[in-house]
């Protein structure tokens, strides 16, 4: 037998639920007399069979109504049902919840794909939805949509060991059951009840070692490509910022007085002035003597070959899976890591110069290299390669 506290809690919850239903129908809160009448009508309805419309011929209802399965859309439809069939509000809600047809997973998936096709999804996306939901349906062939539980969801998702595959399967199921809930096929979304979206491991942000940076500069030193690499490796400029310098009418007017002036460019973070470190000065002088641009026209083609040559075995192409390391934007990340390892480095100074927050620097760049490696990195002048 339930305890007195449990019965009191259930009675209080039932009163609150019927108060919400009354407010949605009548647009105002019920007084105590009206609320008592609703509760009395419910108690009486539990003791007698549901009156049925002669055309619909539904089966008998269960003895009680689980109000936790009632959604706001159910209430709206139940109001219309009560008006059309001259039923009490409680009987309409009870009939709608318990006598609605049980939709099988295969029928719901077919309807879902039709709805997605009407939204204009590409055939590849539709095929992905169809394949994944079919696998779920084959694993649990006898279930209706309302019978799917969080246990079924967990058993399905953990068939795959790959975290990214699990995330993708989780997202597909969550989207499908959210649609099914809006259609009234299930009282809630079992995917959200089963588990949160699987977390994807953060890929490592790779940087160049001093030897790899030296190999890149040695390979490009006698070509027109070394300007980009020197500025990116030692000043930490983004590729978009170097491209903006190249497209400027007079880029060398922005490189003066020991700084690179980026205040006029469309900023990713904020306009800033980047100091020129001592190691970059001979490289800039070499650029001026040889009339080398910051980003040559064939830069994008040559850059991949240069990067591949420097990284060799650990290089990953652009089709790598998300678990693998991030090999893009490495010159800028290398500069930040090695600057933080220099003697007397200040987070505030590096944040200001690089355009990143201190939180980002502490999370991804701090304490990744030694002081000796940082000093080797910032000693790669043209005459020491």
């Amino acid at each position: 037998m339930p305890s007195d506290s449990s019965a009191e809690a259930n009675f209080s919850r039932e009163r609150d639920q019927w108060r919400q239903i009354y407010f949605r129908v009548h647009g105002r809160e019920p007084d105590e007399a009206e609320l008592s009448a609703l509760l009395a009508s419910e108690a009486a309805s539990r003791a007698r069979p549901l009156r049925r419309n002669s055309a619909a011929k539904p089966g008998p209802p269960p003895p009680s109504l689980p109000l936790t399965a009632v959604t706001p859309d159910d209430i709206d439809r139940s109001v219309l049902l009560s008006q059309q069939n001259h039923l009490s509000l409680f009987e309409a809600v009870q009939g709608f919840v318990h006598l609605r047809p049980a939709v099988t997973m295969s029928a719901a998936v077919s309807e879902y794909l039709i709805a997605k096709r009407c939204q204009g999804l590409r055939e590849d996306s539709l095929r992905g939805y169809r394949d994944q939901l079919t696998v779920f349906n084959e694993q649990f062939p006898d279930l209706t949509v309302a019978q799917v539980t969080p246990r079924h969801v967990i058993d399905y998702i953990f068939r795959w060991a790959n975290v990214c595959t699990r995330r993708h399967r989780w997202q597909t199921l969550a989207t499908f059951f959210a649609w099914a809930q809006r259609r009234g096929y299930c009282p809630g979304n079992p995917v959200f009840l089963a588990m949160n979206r699987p977390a994807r491991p953060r890929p490592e942000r790779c940087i160049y070692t001093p030897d790899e940076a030296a190999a890149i500069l040695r390979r490009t030193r006698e070509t027109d490509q070394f300007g980009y690499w020197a500025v990116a490796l030692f000043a930490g400029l983004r590729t978009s910022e170097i491209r903006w310098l190249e497209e400027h009418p007079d880029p060398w007017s922005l490189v003066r007085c020991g700084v690179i002036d980026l205040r006029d460019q469309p900023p990713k973070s904020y306009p800033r002035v980047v100091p020129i470190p001592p190691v970059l000065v001979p490289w800039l002088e070499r650029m001026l003597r040889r009339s080398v641009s910051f980003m040559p026209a064939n830069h994008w083609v040559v850059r991949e070959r240069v990067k591949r040559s420097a990284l060799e075995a650990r290089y990953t192409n652009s089709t790598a899976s998300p678990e693998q390391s991030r090999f893009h934007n490495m010159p800028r990340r290398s500069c930040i890591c090695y600057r933080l390892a220099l003697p007397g480095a200040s987070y505030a100074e590096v944040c200001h110069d690089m355009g990143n927050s201190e939180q980002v620097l502490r999370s991804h760049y701090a304490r990744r290299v030694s002081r000796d490696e940082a000093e080797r990195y910032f000693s790669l002048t043209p005459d020491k390669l």
Side-chain angles (χ1 to χ4, degrees), residues 151-375:
R151 182 76 261 172
H152 295 127
V153 174
I154 293 175
D155 291 345
Y156 168 74
I157 289 179
F158 277 86
R159 290 176 53 183
W160 288 271
N162 185 281
V163 176
C164 290
T165 303
R166 290 178 181 175
R167 282 170 59 90
H168 191 49
R169 304 280 173 166
W170 183 95
Q171 187 62 58
T172 300
L173 280 186
T175 304
F176 168 76
F177 280 103
W179 169 87
Q181 184 180 4
R182 292 193 299 270
R183 296 286 295 166
Y185 297 157
C186 57
N189 194 325
V191 181
F192 295 147
L193 297 175
M195 58 189 296
N196 293 327
R197 186 178 184 183
R200 184 175 61 190
R202 300 172 71 95
E204 178 190 5
R205 288 164 167 77
C206 286
I207 62 173
Y208 291 113
T209 65
D211 292 337
E212 290 169 344
I216 289 175
L217 293 171
R218 193 178 300 115
R219 179 185 175 94
T220 59
R221 179 174 52 180
E222 303 301 330
T223 68
D224 60 350
Q225 303 291 327
F226 73 86
Y228 165 83
W229 288 103
V231 173
L233 287 168
F234 300 128
L237 267 62
R238 300 181 176 91
T239 300
S240 60
E241 294 167 342
I242 299 176
R243 183 170 60 244
W244 177 80
L245 273 178
E246 177 63 25
E247 295 172 353
H248 194 274
D250 186 11
W252 288 104
S253 65
L254 304 175
V255 183
R256 62 181 186 276
C257 301
V259 297
I260 301 175
D261 190 349
L262 300 177
R263 289 176 295 181
D264 294 334
Q265 64 117 12
K268 180 177 179 180
S269 50
Y270 52 82
R272 67 187 195 279
V273 175
V274 181
I276 299 175
V279 67
L280 183 56
V281 173
W283 288 104
L284 293 175
E285 294 174 349
R286 187 182 182 91
M287 289 176 64
L288 280 171
R289 289 197 304 270
R290 301 194 175 196
S291 300
V292 171
S293 61
F294 288 94
M295 184 176 288
N298 61 342
H299 162 76
W300 300 102
V301 177
V302 176
R303 186 177 73 167
E304 292 305 313
R305 294 202 298 266
V306 172
K307 186 196 298 186
R308 187 183 297 272
S309 174
L311 294 176
E312 295 180 348
R314 73 166 180 151
Y315 179 85
T316 305
N317 60 31
S318 58
T319 61
S321 64
E323 288 87 359
Q324 293 174 312
S325 301
R326 295 181 179 177
F327 285 90
H328 64 276
N329 211 14
M330 289 179 63
R332 171 180 169 79
R333 291 173 175 164
S334 303
C335 178
I336 297 175
C337 288
Y338 290 113
R339 277 200 59 178
L340 288 174
L342 288 174
S346 164
Y347 277 107
E349 182 180 355
V350 178
C351 288
H352 178 270
D353 295 344
M354 297 293 106
N356 284 110
S357 67
E358 183 173 341
Q359 180 182 0
V360 171
L361 264 60
R362 290 184 181 274
S363 300
H364 303 295
Y365 302 111
R367 296 179 295 277
R368 293 190 54 184
V369 296
S370 65
R371 178 176 297 183
D372 291 341
E373 290 176 319
E375 291 176 346

Side-chain angles (χ1 to χ4, degrees), residues 57-78:
K57 299 295 183 184
S64 63
L65 170 65
L67 289 176
T68 54
V70 180
T71 66
D73 289 341
D74 293 340
I75 297 173
D76 292 339
R77 298 187 185 104
S78 300

Side-chain angles (χ1 to χ4, degrees), residues 94-116:
Q94 189 181 39
F96 182 81
V97 172
H98 289 299
L99 303 180
R100 74 177 108 186
V103 180
T104 63
M105 279 294 301
S106 57
V109 168
S110 299
E111 183 182 351
Y112 178 70
L113 293 174
I114 292 173
K116 288 297 181 182

